[in-house]
Amino acid sequence: GSPCPGGPCPGSVRGQGCVPVGAPRQVTAEQLRARGNALFQAGDHGAALAAYTEALSLSDAASERAVLHRNRAACYLKLEDYTKAEADATKAIEADGRDVKALFRRSQALQQLGRLDQAVRDLQRCVSLEPRNKAFQEALRALGSSMHEKMKAMSCTDSKVEQMFQILLDLEEKDADKKQKAAQNLIVLAREEAGAEKIFQSDGVRLLMQLLDTAKADLMLAALRTLVGLCSGHRSRTTAILAELGAPRLAAVLGVEHEEVSLAACNLLHVMFDSLKEGLQKDFRGKEDAVVLDSSRDLKLLIQHLLELLVLEGASAHGRDNALNLLIKVVPRKSPKETNNSLSLWVIDQGLKKILEVGSTVCGSLGSLPVTENSRMSTSVLLSKLYEDLKCDAERENFHRLCEDYVRSWFEGRELPGKLRAIQTVSCLLQGPSDAGNRVLELEGIMDSVLSLCASVCEAHQLVAVEALIHAADKAKRASFITANGVNLLKEIYKHSERDSIRIRALVGLCKLGSAGGTDFSMKQFAEGSTMKLAKQCRKWLCNEAIDVGTRRWAVEGLAYLTFDADVKEEFVEDKAAMQAMFQLAKSEDRNVLYAVASTLVNCTNSYDHEEPDPQMLELAKYAKQHIPEQHPKDKPEFVKRRVRKLLVAGVVSALACMVKSENPALTSSCRELISRVFLALVEEAEDRGGVVAQGGGKALIPLSLEGTEVGQTKAAQALAKITITSNPEMVFPGERIYEVVRPLVSLLHLQRTGLENFEGLMALTNLAGISERLRQKILKERAVPMIEGYMFEEHELIRLAATECMCNMAMSKEVQEMFLAEGSDRLKLMVLYSGEEDEKLRRAASGTLAMLTTLHPPICKRIPQVTVHWLEILQALLLSPSVELQHRGAVVVMNMMAAAREVAEQLIASEMLEILSVLAKDKDKP
């Protein structure tokens, strides 16, 4: 039956045409099983699984159901879901205990799940049922030796664990090197599943607790890092460890003064959260079934203690930051596809006021909590993530009400210190969930207090007020009010204040208000030259190392707004000292500067989105006397290219790489997107790519392409593609890193991407597919082949060519070769027809694929005459082509077909092929 227009009809079965609309579905379990078998043979295991599952719903016969369960087990093995593979194989065995295929599949699944003793029993049963089956004998032999090794390792491990704890807990032991070695061995051992289980079974948790209680930093670090190995991906062990150590003890370790210990505790808690949330992959089934685990209670217990740590006076400042960072990572949903946001709602109800306590802290004021310069930014990010996680107006309204109540509690009827805390909270909310910030800004008296405190004689008070004014300035609701009331005030402060810390913040406020026109050259807010003067002052402050880092950061904030102006960009890239100073700040401990640095670089490289206006719409706008945005003459491509070069020379790549490495909440998804945009601009020219890679750009792009906003991930993936196309991927991405590049490149093939992104993704994958079988397997696993095939039908000739070239390299894989023989597939026909196209490059790619396929998979030779009646003339045209490359490819295909089967050879000899070959064989110029 021919396919229905618009894809397969729901009732169609391959080879049976379509069921008329309105007729009952005639598809049977038998047909669905046949379809599943064909799909499995073609390598589409996900679709095969769906077919078998549907067949199960229609089948009542016990024998038929057993076969379907056995087939599903094979699909699950291919999809690496070993738990489900074991379950399905077991159902097949329950129906027929002599089903060797099901027994063998279950043994494979059990091996992957680490239950080797059970896997051996299944294999022994297979051998007893089919004693002559070599595959079963070999598998049993390999598994036996693997078990022997494991037993040997376990017995050796027993004594090692005891020995290491003895050395570490021996107070008389003075040999520091010996202790350090024992600690290191313990950590390494805990990373292996067998070692981790041994430590756990040998009363290790109690001994590790003793190490934590010594309060010695080196021993505490050893204990925390060993616990990471024990908890990693193992839910039942994590639950037991949490019960023994107790959440209060873990929170207390997080709050210690020693920074490294606090960070190690933060890492342990993160691993515990992950294991409690989803970590079942390493657990042994028997143990897991024995205990009914309720993770949500443990999760909430840990989070409760983190929230209490935020307001604990005895907790260290960096401990508080680590607690905020943990909450950012573990509380909000990872993606909108997850429907359950109950953890965020619980945290808002239980702990929003505690979080706001940190955000409202005024540094240096009496009785304030110890905080770092990063604490408020972390608080803003956490508040923003919690707000974004809310799903309906009622939830958002509750959030607003709690924020307003908190601000009122500090503002109404309070003295000056209380009012300052209220204003500081407003600042914190404006930097995070700005909707909530705008709501509290409108509370009675808040804005008046901000304006009056801007003129305060006390520097600390003035700082709080000016910062609040700045954060309010770029929020659309308040901008007009502030332009009317705040600009003159900010100008006065800027001109007359004697303190640089205040002047620099006032300047940023003016920059924000002055950049409202964005990149539109015709919308200038300030008088001619004012923007340049402000930018010059910003660069001056930025380069002044006598000023503290926190204050110099504001100079970058100012430039982030002023660099909308192309004249400012040009002057900035000429000022090497200013660029170097900004890059140094980007690498510093003060992570609040990341977004401002990234924004400045996006402006300088023009890597923001700009659409070309439609000429007809422009004419209409002129006719209607509407405002038309104008591009600055210095934002033309030649100026941008020159600016990019200057940034590269100044060391922009190492600064960006350092920013990406920072495990900090300030590196938000939108900040990552800005960095990805800059990287894409930096690799635009092929000659610059080597330098970008040499300074760590290739390595930095991988994490950017795997998490963040969709736009950010796509820009980073496109930058990776550009690098992979023009460089040797093995040099650029050494070792295992090359395999991490595959997924981002495959993401460029999705239909919602642009034609250029599709094209560059295909070109990059072609390069990778030509390197090794392991890389081709990775590309197959990412399900790229159906997408590559889709682009072989693309109208755009370059995309069609790139897809065909990519398929040529993928054809070196056995699985791909099998696809060309799949029943009902036109893949081979397309390759033969493309070998006869007019476009020489397409012919070269298609005939190259045929040469590869016929060499590596001879059964394809017999199929070629069956796919199209024009096969002979296409092969003859290749041999008669003026291109030596096409002749060579044609000759290889004909040679393979002659060797493959007698009937094919007879057809070739009966044609004019022998004559053509005789002529070519005499050509001495083409050895």
Side-chain angles (χ1 to χ4, degrees):
S2 58
C4 306
C9 148
S12 71
V13 178
R14 181 170 290 155
Q16 296 201 356
C18 304
V19 178
V21 176
R25 287 182 71 202
Q26 298 298 315
V27 66
T28 66
E30 183 59 42
Q31 288 163 346
L32 282 165
R33 187 175 118 197
R35 185 194 295 178
N37 292 347
L39 289 163
F40 189 89
Q41 289 298 326
D44 194 344
H45 305 119
L49 176 66
Y52 294 139
T53 304
E54 195 180 340
L56 264 173
S57 68
L58 299 175
S59 174
D60 295 324
S63 58
E64 175 73 22
R65 289 179 69 80
V67 172
L68 288 166
H69 279 301
R70 185 178 74 196
N71 290 2
R72 282 208 326 178
C75 293
Y76 282 127
L77 283 171
K78 289 286 185 188
L79 296 167
E80 298 182 15
D81 190 339
Y82 302 115
T83 307
K84 286 183 180 166
E86 185 226 346
D88 262 322
T90 301
K91 282 177 184 164
I93 294 161
E94 282 166 2
D96 176 9
R98 301 176 67 81
D99 186 338
V100 285
K101 282 188 183 176
L103 282 162
F104 187 62
R105 281 167 197 168
R106 186 167 74 173
S107 80
Q108 288 176 297
L110 288 165
Q111 275 184 68
Q112 295 296 337
L113 291 167
R115 289 147 64 190
L116 303 187
D117 49 342
Q118 289 164 274
V120 165
R121 280 205 295 275
D122 279 352
L123 271 176
Q124 284 169 337
R125 178 96 177 111
C126 289
V127 171
S128 69
L129 289 167
E130 289 189 12
R132 292 187 179 176
N133 190 315
K134 292 243 172 74
F136 294 161
Q137 290 168 4
E138 190 51 47
L140 187 60
R141 199 166 26 251
L143 188 54
S145 64
S146 161
M147 278 193 75
H148 178 68
E149 287 297 314
K150 191 176 176 184
M151 295 303 290
K152 206 163 126 187
M154 285 298 273
S155 60
C156 178
T157 307
D158 280 13
S159 54
K160 268 192 196 167
V161 172
E162 239 168 274
Q163 218 176 342
M164 285 182 269
F165 276 119
Q166 273 174 1
I167 296 167
L168 289 170
L169 290 167
D170 184 2
L171 300 175
E172 305 299 312
E173 182 61 71
K174 296 285 184 273
D175 188 342
D177 283 351
K178 196 173 175 185
K179 281 203 165 190
Q180 193 182 354
K181 206 168 179 186
Q184 198 51 47
N185 286 342
L186 200 60
I187 295 162
V188 171
L189 191 63
R191 286 182 193 147
E192 295 294 323
E193 175 52 39
E197 189 60 21
K198 194 67 237 164
I199 294 169
F200 182 69
Q201 298 292 357
S202 313
D203 198 20
V205 181
R206 186 182 61 79
L207 297 168
L208 289 167
M209 198 153 65
Q210 287 180 26
L211 290 179
L212 281 177
D213 291 344
T214 60
K216 289 183 178 172
D218 52 343
L219 295 179
M220 290 176 84
L221 286 169
L224 291 165
R225 287 167 184 164
T226 305
L227 284 165
V228 165
L230 265 59
C231 295
S232 203
H234 204 301
R235 193 168 73 163
S236 53
R237 247 191 339 242
T238 303
T239 308
I241 289 167
L242 183 58
E244 195 158 345
L245 289 180
R249 186 194 300 266
L250 289 167
V253 177
L254 184 67
V256 298
E257 283 295 340
H258 195 287
E259 277 191 53
E260 214 180 335
V261 172
S262 177
L263 199 60
C266 178
N267 187 28
L268 169 61
L269 283 164
H270 193 195
V271 166
M272 291 179 100
F273 275 115
D274 282 351
S275 299
L276 290 170
K277 271 186 166 178
E278 58 219 307
L280 278 168
Q281 63 269 36
K282 282 191 195 168
D283 283 6
F284 297 152
R285 195 181 178 86
K287 194 184 305 169
E288 201 58 73
D289 286 347
V291 189
V292 177
L293 298 164
D294 177 18
S295 295
S296 62
R297 189 173 53 81
D298 288 329
L299 281 170
K300 285 181 178 175
L301 182 68
L302 277 176
I303 291 170
Q304 182 73 52
H305 283 282
L306 288 181
L307 292 168
E308 282 167 15
L309 180 74
L310 294 180
V311 291
L312 192 69
E313 285 181 15
S316 65
H318 45 258
R320 197 166 271 106
D321 279 4
N322 286 333
L324 287 166
N325 295 354
L326 260 175
L327 290 166
I328 290 166
K329 287 174 186 169
V330 303
V331 175
R333 291 172 293 167
K334 290 276 189 291
S335 93
K337 288 176 190 165
E338 293 174 35
T339 52
N340 185 0
N341 69 341
S342 60
L343 206 52
S344 288
L345 296 175
W346 183 81
V347 168
I348 289 166
D349 284 338
Q350 299 291 315
L352 187 61
K353 288 188 176 172
K354 292 183 175 83
I355 296 164
L356 290 171
E357 281 288 308
V358 184
S360 69
T361 297
V362 179
C363 292
S365 62
L366 200 65
S368 64
L369 292 169
V371 290
T372 70
E373 64 270 20
N374 295 320
S375 301
R376 197 161 54 147
M377 173 54 89
S378 299
T379 308
S380 293
V381 173
L382 175 56
L383 290 166
S384 189
K385 293 262 188 193
L386 290 171
Y387 189 75
E388 285 165 15
D389 210 31
L390 301 177
K391 294 195 291 190
C392 64
D393 289 346
E395 290 173 2
R396 282 185 277 273
E397 199 50 49
N398 178 50
F399 188 95
H400 290 311
R401 183 182 55 75
L402 290 168
C403 290
E404 286 171 14
D405 289 350
Y406 182 81
V407 171
R408 279 200 196 96
S409 72
W410 279 113
F411 190 76
E412 290 172 2
R414 292 287 197 122
E415 297 297 315
L416 187 58
K419 287 188 165 38
L420 282 170
R421 287 199 71 162
I423 292 169
Q424 190 80 310
T425 310
V426 174
S427 269
C428 185
L429 287 165
L430 284 166
Q431 277 182 285
S434 54
D435 287 353
N438 277 322
R439 283 273 292 261
V440 292
L441 199 57
E442 283 163 15
L443 291 176
E444 196 181 338
I446 295 279
M447 201 68 216
D448 296 335
S449 288
V450 171
L451 292 172
S452 64
L453 278 167
C454 279
S456 169
V457 289
C458 170
E459 183 179 4
H461 299 173
Q462 202 177 7
L463 276 178
V464 171
V466 173
E467 282 190 23
L469 191 62
I470 293 165
H471 294 311
D474 60 346
K475 303 294 175 260
K477 270 189 181 177
R478 306 302 283 168
S480 54
F481 172 83
I482 291 165
T483 308
N485 297 277
V487 169
N488 291 333
L489 179 64
L490 288 170
K491 279 183 181 171
E492 284 301 306
I493 295 170
Y494 176 57
K495 284 177 186 167
H496 300 122
S497 175
E498 291 171 11
R499 305 184 189 103
D500 276 348
S501 60
I502 300 290
R503 289 186 69 215
I504 203 165
R505 285 163 170 81
L507 171 66
V508 173
L510 290 170
C511 296
K512 278 192 175 185
L513 295 167
S515 65
T519 53
D520 182 356
F521 179 46
S522 61
M523 291 268 292
K524 288 289 162 218
Q525 299 291 312
F526 293 156
E528 196 63 46
S530 299
T531 310
M532 299 300 286
K533 279 183 197 163
L534 290 175
K536 193 173 179 183
Q537 184 59 59
C538 278
R539 296 204 311 274
K540 191 175 155 189
W541 272 322
L542 180 58
C543 296
N544 184 352
E545 291 188 9
I547 302 175
D548 69 283
V549 172
T551 303
R552 283 165 65 210
R553 164 173 72 83
W554 286 95
V556 186
E557 291 269 357
L559 287 169
Y561 289 94
L562 292 171
T563 45
F564 281 127
D565 186 322
D567 288 316
V568 174
K569 301 179 200 185
E570 286 295 313
E571 278 204 356
F572 178 68
V573 297
E574 292 300 333
D575 188 340
K576 284 184 185 166
M579 285 195 288
Q580 294 288 349
M582 185 172 86
F583 297 157
Q584 281 308 116
L585 272 183
K587 296 174 184 177
S588 74
E589 286 301 305
D590 184 355
R591 292 304 180 190
N592 297 332
V593 79
L594 294 184
Y595 195 85
V597 172
S599 300
T600 306
L601 291 171
V602 163
N603 291 342
C604 288
T605 55
N606 283 36
S607 46
Y608 38 72
D609 290 325
H610 34 78
E611 288 179 24
E612 290 300 320
D614 180 350
Q616 284 182 313
M617 296 307 288
L618 276 181
E619 290 304 314
L620 279 172
K622 281 179 193 168
Y623 179 73
K625 295 194 170 126
Q626 283 189 338
H627 170 70
I628 298 164
E630 290 176 33
Q631 189 189 37
H632 195 294
K634 289 181 183 172
D635 270 334
K636 289 185 173 157
E638 60 271 25
F639 283 93
V640 176
K641 198 186 283 188
R642 218 167 26 240
R643 289 202 292 266
V644 166
R645 283 277 153 80
K646 285 179 177 163
L647 285 166
L648 284 167
V649 171
V652 65
V653 177
S654 60
L656 289 171
C658 200
M659 286 160 75
V660 174
K661 264 189 234 165
S662 92
E663 265 295 310
N664 192 280
L667 192 68
T668 55
S669 295
S670 47
C671 186
R672 297 172 83 93
E673 182 186 314
L674 295 180
I675 296 171
S676 299
R677 286 176 181 277
V678 177
F679 265 125
L680 184 55
L682 296 177
V683 297
E684 189 56 46
E685 299 299 318
E687 61 267 31
D688 295 334
R689 291 170 196 169
V692 170
V693 169
Q695 292 177 55
K699 185 180 177 182
L701 278 164
I702 294 172
L704 288 172
S705 66
L706 294 171
E707 57 181 294
T709 65
E710 192 174 349
V711 173
Q713 287 184 38
T714 306
K715 302 273 181 202
Q718 197 182 354
L720 281 171
K722 286 179 188 288
I723 290 169
T724 309
I725 292 165
T726 54
S727 321
N728 176 354
E730 291 176 287
M731 302 281 281
V732 176
F733 309 109
E736 292 297 303
R737 203 175 296 154
I738 195 166
Y739 302 101
E740 294 175 48
V741 178
V742 174
R743 182 170 295 168
L745 295 180
V746 172
S747 75
L748 293 175
L749 305 189
H750 294 153
L751 289 173
Q752 64 268 39
R753 304 281 176 260
T754 64
L756 178 62
E757 287 162 357
N758 298 155
F759 174 69
E760 290 181 332
L762 288 164
M763 295 268 286
L765 286 168
T766 304
N767 253 4
L768 292 183
I771 292 172
S772 72
E773 180 56 27
R774 191 175 159 201
L775 271 167
R776 289 190 286 277
Q777 286 300 324
K778 177 73 177 158
I779 295 168
L780 274 164
K781 197 173 172 185
E782 293 296 338
R783 298 187 171 88
V785 172
M787 290 189 270
I788 296 166
E789 277 183 337
Y791 288 113
M792 286 173 67
F793 293 94
E794 179 68 41
E795 280 179 37
H796 196 294
E797 58 195 38
L798 284 175
I799 295 179
R800 189 170 63 226
L801 171 64
T804 311
E805 286 176 342
C806 192
M807 188 55 82
C808 180
N809 281 353
M810 286 301 294
M812 288 188 263
S813 253
K814 189 84 177 151
E815 284 96 323
V816 178
Q817 293 156 22
E818 293 289 351
M819 287 179 195
F820 279 87
L821 285 174
E823 281 301 324
S825 155
D826 285 335
R827 295 181 181 98
L828 189 59
K829 182 179 181 178
L830 186 68
M831 279 300 173
V832 176
L833 293 174
Y834 274 1
S835 300
E837 282 282 307
E838 285 177 21
D839 177 349
E840 191 180 315
K841 285 182 179 173
L842 183 62
R843 283 180 81 189
R844 206 180 328 165
S847 55
T849 310
L850 284 181
M852 185 93 68
L853 288 168
T854 53
T855 304
L856 297 172
H857 204 58
I860 284 174
C861 299
K862 289 188 200 174
R863 185 66 69 83
I864 289 175
Q866 297 165 20
V867 293
T868 171
V869 292
H870 304 294
W871 70 280
L872 259 174
E873 60 194 81
I874 288 170
L875 288 178
Q876 287 173 0
L878 284 173
L879 289 165
L880 294 168
S881 160
S883 157
V884 183
E885 287 191 10
L886 289 177
Q887 286 184 319
H888 183 204
R889 284 160 167 74
V892 170
V893 175
V894 173
M895 180 175 74
N896 291 334
M897 290 177 75
M898 286 293 294
R902 186 181 180 90
E903 64 269 24
V904 178
E906 283 172 351
Q907 282 175 281
L908 286 165
I909 293 300
S911 70
E912 292 154 20
M913 194 63 80
L914 186 60
E915 247 174 278
I916 297 167
L917 290 168
S918 303
V919 174
L920 285 176
K922 291 170 189 164
D923 194 336
K924 291 191 169 61
D925 296 336
K926 300 173 185 173

